[in-house]
Amino acid sequence: METIPKSKMTQKMKLATSIVIWFCTFSLGLGVGFLPPSFLELSKKFETDIPTISKAFSVISISFLFGAIICGAGFNYVNRQISSGILLILMGIGIILLPLVPSLLIFFIVAVIIGFGAAGYDTAQIVWILEIYKHKAAPYVQIQHACYALGAFISPLLMKNFLPEESKDQIENFHNLQTNQSVEESNRNNNTLIYSTKENDPKSSKLYIPFLIGGIVSIIGGFLIILLYFIHKYEKPEKIITPQNSDVADGESKSYKIRRVVLIILSALVLGCYMGCELTSFQFLPTFTYFIDLHLSQRDGALILSGLAAAFTIGRILGIFLVIKVLPEILLVGNLILIAIGNTLLLIFANSSITILWVASLTLGLGFSTVFPSFYGYIEKHLKITNMVGAIIIVSGGIISGLYPIAIGAYIEKNPFVIMYTNYFSIIVASIAFFTIYCITSRNISNSNDYTVTTEKKIDPEIMGEIPLKSNR
């Protein structure tokens, strides 16, 4: 497939556009990273339980899923540049409103707006970079991933200063003392912990400040994208189909079509299970640290989440070079091993050692960092990624990441290790699915006829440019 640019971008304009996209991707990671550390405080604000408030994660995941599908199709009919800017502004407004809304129902409605806006921008930004740099896009896409991770790292650090310092045990002790003593006597005996004071009252807290910062950053990013439109209107390159790569010329055999369907299903299992594992680990880690036997404070939980995000960021920066030097299948296996090690450390030692809790969180962050680029680096050699394939992968990931929070939220108070169990399920299913993919593709390469089909079906970077290959969340 050949590309005919309507108007050629200068190098300076490419750089300026890339910087704006990276800034907006950073704002995406920053904005969506505020909800997990504030999870418990928001449940107090709305006077609801953990299973109910945890449905917000499912709402965001499902709205993200539908947003990606709708925007992916809609960008063929409306200007993607203007639309993505507007969606990012809407997401920013939603982030600002999230801690300020008066009821749980409106909270969920705002969560839908955030999820849809994030999906629209996320769908546009990966395609945009691929179209700008074409076959040289790999390091620029990895920089995008690193910018998102950087935002996810900073948000818990900002949030922790606005969360209570008290642990679960301290709060329970205080309320027990209130039950048995007068308020005045309780205050005298526990002058270091007055949970009912105005400072710690969820209704009068300053939780809105970090959300305000994140929302403003997203709104600025949206206006920058719209400003780019008036400085240099970006137009999607036109494509023409050449006989060499048309579907008619490919001459797909029946066996190839069967193999293709199997690879699509297995790829959806790998990435769907991985997305569920990554998202729920980020979403519920602060809540997990609050309910384990160590009963860390919400501030400490936010700090540990920032440690996971820091390792995630470092891994993605290193991934810019690793994806070039290391075979993708080796990198992916290494990622899955790190995730399994981190998960096992949490399962065995989280109740007894803060040090190992930190080590396990950092290990998980490194394990999550390059799963997407390494898997796509491998599968794109053997599977032609079309709009339908991209949609199937997005739907599978959205369904799994939407169901997990419901199950985890229902049990995390009584058994916080439910996160480890769902993670193990994801790791096992993803590992089996990828091993099967590897066996199929390895056997296929050894067969000369199938090898011809495989090499002729290499994915065209322009086709990839039409697909939201990855949701950064």
Side-chain angles (χ1 to χ4, degrees):
M1 184 173 290
E2 297 177 2
T3 309
I4 303 178
K6 291 184 178 179
S7 57
K8 188 175 180 180
M9 293 180 71
T10 64
Q11 289 299 322
K12 288 184 178 179
M13 199 61 216
K14 283 185 178 181
L15 179 60
T17 303
S18 300
I19 291 173
V20 169
I21 294 173
W22 294 335
F23 174 80
C24 293
T25 305
F26 164 80
S27 74
L28 181 65
L30 183 71
V32 300
F34 287 125
L35 185 57
S38 60
F39 186 61
L40 292 169
E41 282 301 286
L42 290 172
S43 70
K44 295 171 189 173
K45 169 184 168 62
F46 296 112
E47 299 178 349
T48 187
D49 54 15
I50 298 298
T52 301
I53 196 72
S54 65
K55 292 177 182 177
F57 293 130
S58 297
V59 168
I60 290 174
S61 295
I62 294 170
S63 61
F64 190 99
L65 163 66
F66 283 102
I69 295 173
I70 293 171
C71 293
F75 287 154
N76 293 324
Y77 305 99
V78 297
N79 186 277
R80 188 177 63 207
Q81 190 171 356
I82 292 288
S83 301
S84 60
I86 293 173
L87 288 168
L88 200 60
I89 292 171
L90 286 176
M91 188 191 82
I93 294 172
I95 291 169
I96 293 172
L97 293 176
L98 201 61
L100 301 175
V101 295
S103 69
L104 191 62
L105 175 61
I106 301 177
F107 176 79
F108 284 136
I109 292 173
V110 172
V112 170
I113 295 173
I114 293 173
F116 193 91
Y121 171 72
D122 200 29
T123 301
Q125 54 98 9
I126 184 69
V127 176
W128 205 348
I129 285 289
L130 286 168
E131 286 179 351
I132 291 173
Y133 294 101
K134 302 180 178 62
H135 60 282
K136 299 178 181 179
Y140 301 99
V141 171
Q142 194 63 27
I143 291 173
Q144 274 179 288
H145 296 333
C147 289
Y148 175 87
L150 181 62
F153 162 65
I154 291 175
S155 52
L157 292 179
L158 286 174
M159 179 61 71
K160 77 178 185 67
N161 296 318
F162 300 92
L163 297 172
E165 296 183 69
E166 297 79 23
S167 68
K168 181 174 179 287
D169 284 342
Q170 288 176 307
I171 293 171
E172 288 178 349
N173 290 338
F174 174 72
H175 288 305
N176 289 336
L177 283 168
Q178 277 191 317
T179 303
N180 300 320
Q181 303 175 16
S182 66
V183 175
E184 292 79 12
E185 184 179 356
S186 176
N187 289 348
R188 287 197 301 270
N189 294 338
N190 298 274
N191 52 21
T192 60
L193 172 65
I194 309 299
Y195 191 70
S196 61
T197 58
K198 185 176 179 180
E199 179 183 357
N200 288 327
D201 183 359
K203 293 182 179 179
S204 59
S205 72
K206 296 181 180 179
L207 201 63
Y208 68 91
I209 295 176
F211 282 93
L212 179 64
I213 295 171
I216 290 174
V217 171
S218 295
I219 291 171
I220 290 173
F223 278 115
L224 286 175
I225 290 178
I226 295 173
L227 180 62
L228 273 180
Y229 175 83
F230 294 103
I231 295 175
H232 183 279
K233 181 181 178 181
Y234 179 80
E235 297 182 357
K236 182 179 175 181
E238 292 180 344
K239 293 178 280 291
I240 58 172
I241 305 295
T242 58
Q244 298 96 294
N245 50 37
S246 66
D247 289 336
V248 177
D250 284 333
E252 296 178 352
S253 64
K254 183 177 180 180
S255 62
Y256 176 80
K257 291 180 179 179
I258 295 173
R259 168 183 170 274
R260 176 177 171 79
V261 171
V262 171
L263 288 179
I264 291 172
I265 294 172
L266 292 172
S267 297
L269 281 175
V270 172
L271 293 181
C273 288
Y274 165 72
M275 286 170 65
C277 180
E278 179 197 305
L279 287 174
T280 53
S281 295
F282 271 88
Q283 290 167 348
F284 286 98
L285 183 62
T287 310
F288 170 80
T289 61
Y290 186 78
F291 287 111
I292 58 176
D293 289 351
L294 293 174
H295 294 316
L296 301 184
S297 69
Q298 294 180 53
R299 286 193 182 185
D300 290 336
L303 195 59
I304 288 177
L305 177 60
S306 70
L308 186 152
F312 187 61
T313 305
I314 293 170
R316 286 199 159 180
I317 293 172
L318 294 176
I320 297 172
F321 310 100
L322 288 175
V323 294
I324 299 173
K325 300 293 184 181
V326 182
L327 289 173
E329 56 268 38
I330 294 176
L331 197 57
L332 180 61
V333 171
N335 287 143
L336 293 175
I337 290 173
L338 285 174
I339 294 171
I341 291 173
N343 206 57
T344 303
L345 290 174
L346 285 176
L347 183 64
I348 298 174
F349 299 106
N351 274 330
S352 57
S353 174
I354 294 180
T355 301
I356 297 182
L357 181 60
W358 271 98
V359 172
S361 300
L362 295 173
T363 304
L364 279 177
L366 288 174
F368 291 145
S369 60
T370 55
V371 170
F372 271 105
S374 58
F375 180 76
Y376 274 112
Y378 182 82
I379 199 63
E380 70 178 11
K381 300 175 184 177
H382 309 283
L383 177 66
K384 181 179 180 181
I385 308 294
T386 63
N387 287 327
M388 180 59 68
V389 175
I392 291 171
I393 291 174
I394 289 173
V395 168
S396 65
I399 291 174
I400 294 175
S401 57
L403 292 176
Y404 274 9
I406 298 175
I408 294 172
Y411 295 101
I412 194 167
E413 286 185 84
K414 296 179 180 179
N415 184 9
F417 292 96
V418 65
I419 304 175
M420 276 69 261
Y421 304 148
T422 56
N423 282 354
Y424 274 127
F425 174 79
S426 294
I427 294 167
I428 292 170
V429 173
S431 298
I432 293 173
F434 180 69
F435 179 74
T436 307
I437 289 173
Y438 183 79
C439 291
I440 292 173
T441 53
S442 297
R443 184 175 66 249
N444 199 65
I445 288 176
S446 64
N447 184 293
S448 59
N449 293 330
D450 287 342
Y451 177 76
T452 302
V453 174
T454 302
T455 54
E456 290 179 356
K457 296 284 294 177
K458 282 185 179 178
I459 182 169
D460 187 272
E462 298 302 323
I463 298 175
M464 287 184 66
E466 297 177 351
I467 312 156
L469 291 184
K470 171 191 178 293
S471 67
N472 274 319
R473 290 55 23 231

